[in-house]
Amino acid sequence: MDNRGHDAGKAQFRLDWVDVARGIGIIAVVIGHVWTRGGVRDAMYSFHMPLFFLLSGMLSRPHPIASFTRRQIVGQMRPYAAFLTLLILIDQIVEPLKGGRPIFHQWPEDMVPILLGGFWLRGPYTIFWFVPCLLIARLLFNAVLLCWPDVLDRRWAFVLLPTVILAYGMGYLTEASPLGLLSVPMAFVLLWAGAVWPRVRWSNRMILPLALLALVGLAEIAPTLNMKVADYGWPLVSIGSAVATCLLLFRLSARIAPFAGPVAALGRASLVIMYLHVALIHYGSPYLAKPWLLMLALALPFGLHALIRRSRVATRILL
């Protein structure tokens, strides 16, 4: 047997399960924005955003600060700016056609909340806090990772303990979050937890305790999460439940990866789905039942992602 082919197959399998996990995550995000209250919404919110931070942490490796920072800012903020501009322009057209008023209609004053982002972007733009938050958290995490590449090094405690305290303290003090920065401390902790997970040797005996902890959030025993406003529910318990749910989903993703091609495809399109789904729900909710909204919010961005991939210029700008 050709070992190179075998290694390539294993690498592809690893990539596929990550895409499956992203697919599950983005489906949960869309469900949580279609059903905006009740048990379904709270169950999705109990884990859907931590899932993406944990995955990012799992894939993190130390990189030189200057090149990594430049690459991340350009690579992440260019699509952010492009999609935000696109949605603002669409809103200027759609709302007057509906007999309404665009969300941003006082120029140039409205440039202030647009540039502040995060807490100030609501309605069809509500998800735009996530990418700047992840970006800043990854830059900070990479800087510490360069100093201590072993995430189990005891010195990490000197960073993680005050960061956890800061995360909860800031959440209690305010909901104001320019560019999603309010959520950066907890995002940093989740990145670390994600980086630790591959170091843990899996045992099936872990399923039961993880499942019981996951149910604390999924069954609304503990208050759910809203990471955008740094609402982390019960200290450590709610976020611990989110991590447990995600770890079980990662294990499930690895098991079903060979058979979950459509879910993996949604995972590969998750960036476009993330940016566009809330706008589609926002504009379509007066006219469509919730199951149809869910299908629309997944299918249309998925199709657009396929079109974007056909153009090198569009891919460079939007992906």
Side-chain angles (χ1 to χ4, degrees):
M1 178 180 288
D2 187 336
N3 287 333
R4 289 176 298 174
H6 178 65
D7 291 343
K10 291 200 300 182
Q12 183 62 42
F13 176 75
R14 289 195 295 269
L15 179 63
D16 284 348
W17 89 255
V18 171
D19 286 336
V20 171
R22 286 196 183 109
I24 293 171
I26 200 63
I27 292 170
V29 168
V30 178
I31 290 173
H33 287 141
V34 171
W35 283 267
T36 55
R37 57 180 60 87
V40 171
R41 180 264 184 197
D42 289 347
M44 298 302 103
Y45 268 69
S46 74
F47 73 90
H48 66 359
M49 298 317 299
L51 182 145
F52 291 98
F53 292 113
L54 289 167
L55 275 179
S56 184
M58 289 178 65
L59 300 173
S60 293
R61 300 291 183 272
H63 299 280
I65 289 178
S67 60
F68 182 75
T69 300
R70 180 173 60 253
R71 187 168 64 250
Q72 289 299 308
I73 291 175
V74 173
Q76 299 297 331
M77 296 309 291
R78 182 165 50 201
Y80 172 95
F83 277 108
L84 181 56
T85 302
L86 175 64
L87 289 179
I88 290 172
L89 292 174
I90 290 173
D91 195 58
Q92 303 298 310
I93 298 170
V94 172
E95 284 299 336
L97 290 175
K98 294 168 55 182
R101 187 169 62 179
I103 293 174
F104 296 116
H105 59 276
Q106 295 179 320
W107 304 97
E109 293 88 347
D110 280 339
M111 287 302 299
V112 175
I114 290 171
L115 292 174
L116 285 172
F119 173 81
W120 288 269
L121 293 178
R122 305 195 179 206
Y125 320 108
T126 190
I127 197 65
F128 277 76
W129 70 273
F130 171 72
V131 166
C133 172
L134 176 61
L135 169 65
I136 300 303
R138 288 192 68 193
L139 296 181
L140 294 173
F141 185 71
N142 180 67
V144 182
L145 200 59
L146 275 173
C147 296
W148 305 320
D150 181 1
V151 289
L152 295 179
D153 190 311
R154 294 179 180 179
R155 289 172 293 184
W156 274 91
F158 295 107
V159 175
L160 290 168
L161 182 58
T163 302
V164 169
I165 295 171
L166 181 65
Y168 284 103
M170 290 174 64
Y172 284 125
L173 290 174
T174 183
E175 291 185 353
S177 180
L179 294 175
L181 297 181
L182 183 65
S183 307
V184 166
M186 186 58 75
F188 181 95
V189 174
L190 290 169
L191 289 174
W192 174 82
V196 166
W197 178 241
R199 305 282 299 274
V200 177
R201 185 175 181 179
W202 175 261
S203 167
N204 287 336
R205 289 178 294 181
M206 300 166 66
I207 294 176
L208 180 59
L210 286 174
L212 292 174
L213 182 54
L215 281 174
V216 171
L218 293 170
E220 301 180 86
I221 297 170
T224 196
L225 307 174
N226 186 350
M227 284 197 68
K228 179 177 180 178
V229 295
D231 181 357
Y232 307 120
W234 288 348
L236 300 182
V237 176
S238 295
I239 204 73
S241 176
V243 172
T245 302
C246 293
L247 297 182
L248 290 172
L249 287 174
F250 295 161
R251 189 68 182 172
L252 174 65
S253 299
R255 289 293 185 91
I256 68 173
F259 321 104
V263 180
L266 286 174
R268 289 188 287 272
S270 59
L271 180 72
V272 179
I273 297 172
M274 182 197 68
Y275 276 132
L276 297 183
H277 77 277
V278 181
L280 291 167
I281 295 167
H282 176 80
Y283 297 127
S285 57
Y287 313 106
L288 297 173
K290 292 186 184 299
W292 289 106
L293 277 178
L294 175 62
M295 292 178 61
L296 175 69
L298 289 171
L300 191 58
F302 178 80
L304 181 60
H305 174 264
L307 290 176
I308 291 171
R309 292 299 298 263
R310 291 175 176 269
S311 167
R312 294 180 64 182
V313 174
T315 298
R316 181 173 176 81
I317 295 172
L318 297 172
L319 301 182

